[in-house]
Amino acid sequence: MTDYAEERRSELEVLESIFPNELTVLSDERISVRVEPEVQSERDPHTLNLLVTYTPTYPDEPPELELEVVEGEVSEEEEEFLLQGLRTTAEENLGMVMVYTLALQLKELIAEMLVKRKERIAREDEERYRREEEAVAAKKRGTPVTKESFAVWASKFESEFAEQRRRDEEERLRALPLKEREEAKRWAAKLTGRQLFEQGKVIDSDAAAFGEEGDVAVDISQYERREGAEDDEEDEVDEAAGRLRLADLSDDE
């Protein structure tokens, strides 16, 4: 019959000689071994305690294993990776004392964990860089212009431009004295030269240019009738002259 208590005592003596500074005996059934990777990073060091709780029939059954982070950061996912590796090693070494083997395995697992972390960070950086490059390329390409999108843009531009001109004009008017402001509003309400012409009225070009009061409006239709009347008067003069010549000829005979 196996004396499990004796096997634990014998293993503990060996562990104390191998790990004089790393081993801590917490109780008759529980010990702690401080473990760090073979090559420790000065900038990002990692140290963990391997907590081993002996089961009644250890080493014929695996011990209970826990991890305690002493230095560095270990995510839950990484901790599970380490424990899973330790459990696999424990199953492979059933029937033999295994704490020393588990401590060595933990050294390797920590190193592997850090390598995987660097690879993950590198992939994330590469993916982030790729997304940033795609965003820059998309920004350079811009949005394709269609007839519809251009019409929308042009309508918006004209509306904003007209609104800006209106605000500018309001600002300009507010800056004028009251009398000049009223005069400017009065002239702004007047018809343009084109509007006057289309209504059959023409104003003197100089007066239209300067917009002085007393502009003379000419009715084109009356002007046309006057021209017709002058033509009729010329015809009457010609007829009278003809009659005089005929009278002179009659006197000569």
Side-chain angles (χ1 to χ4, degrees):
M1 182 177 178
T2 304
D3 188 348
Y4 296 112
E6 180 60 30
E7 287 202 25
R8 289 199 301 269
R9 284 193 295 270
S10 298
E11 182 182 31
L12 186 56
E13 291 177 0
V14 174
L15 292 174
E16 287 174 339
S17 63
I18 297 174
F19 303 116
N21 301 316
E22 295 83 6
L23 178 66
T24 301
V25 179
L26 302 175
S27 69
D28 291 342
E29 293 80 23
R30 186 176 173 82
I31 62 174
S32 172
V33 181
R34 188 174 71 253
V35 180
E36 58 186 45
E38 197 67 38
V39 180
Q40 185 71 284
S41 171
E42 294 183 359
R43 292 187 303 174
D44 189 23
H46 283 73
T47 304
L48 285 80
N49 284 336
L50 172 61
L51 302 173
V52 180
T53 301
Y54 291 115
T55 52
T57 58
Y58 171 86
D60 288 342
E61 65 175 329
E64 295 178 4
L65 303 173
E66 299 173 68
L67 293 175
E68 180 183 59
V69 179
V70 178
E71 190 175 22
E73 294 184 2
V74 178
S75 67
E76 292 183 2
E77 183 179 352
E78 291 172 332
E79 183 175 347
E80 183 58 33
F81 165 77
L82 298 175
L83 285 172
Q84 186 59 45
L86 291 173
R87 294 186 188 112
T88 300
T89 301
E91 291 290 337
E92 293 171 351
N93 287 272
L94 288 177
M96 300 180 291
V97 292
M98 63 183 75
V99 174
Y100 174 72
T101 303
L102 292 173
L104 293 182
Q105 180 64 16
L106 183 56
K107 281 179 177 284
E108 296 180 5
L109 288 170
I110 294 173
E112 185 178 351
M113 176 195 75
L114 295 175
V115 170
K116 288 179 177 292
R117 181 188 294 179
K118 289 181 179 179
E119 292 175 348
R120 175 178 56 80
I121 293 174
R123 288 195 303 271
E124 291 174 352
D125 289 343
E126 183 178 354
E127 178 64 18
R128 182 170 60 255
Y129 177 77
R130 183 186 63 80
R131 290 196 300 267
E132 290 175 353
E133 287 292 307
E134 289 179 352
V136 171
K139 188 175 181 180
K140 289 181 178 179
R141 286 196 300 270
T143 304
V145 178
T146 63
K147 290 182 179 180
E148 293 77 11
S149 64
F150 178 79
V152 171
W153 173 86
S155 176
K156 181 180 179 182
F157 175 80
E158 291 174 359
S159 176
E160 292 177 349
F161 183 74
E163 178 62 19
Q164 185 60 47
R165 289 189 62 183
R166 185 188 65 78
R167 288 197 297 266
D168 292 344
E169 182 63 17
E170 289 180 352
E171 289 293 330
R172 187 184 69 81
L173 289 175
R174 279 197 292 268
L176 294 174
L178 179 61
K179 183 176 180 180
E180 294 183 12
R181 188 187 313 160
E182 295 301 324
E183 185 71 12
K185 289 181 179 179
R186 186 174 65 82
W187 277 108
K190 278 196 171 185
L191 294 175
T192 64
R194 179 181 181 85
Q195 291 170 327
L196 290 170
F197 181 79
E198 290 175 348
Q199 293 185 16
K201 297 179 180 180
V202 179
I203 61 175
D204 181 74
S205 60
D206 292 337
F210 294 101
E212 296 294 339
E213 294 185 0
D215 295 339
V216 178
V218 180
D219 191 333
I220 294 177
S221 60
Q222 295 179 2
Y223 179 73
E224 291 175 349
R225 287 197 300 272
R226 189 182 301 116
E227 287 183 339
E230 290 176 353
D231 291 340
D232 292 340
E233 291 176 357
E234 290 179 357
D235 292 339
E236 292 177 358
V237 171
D238 291 340
E239 290 178 2
R243 287 195 296 272
L244 290 173
R245 285 196 296 273
L246 290 174
D248 292 339
L249 289 175
S250 298
D251 293 339
D252 292 339
E253 292 176 358

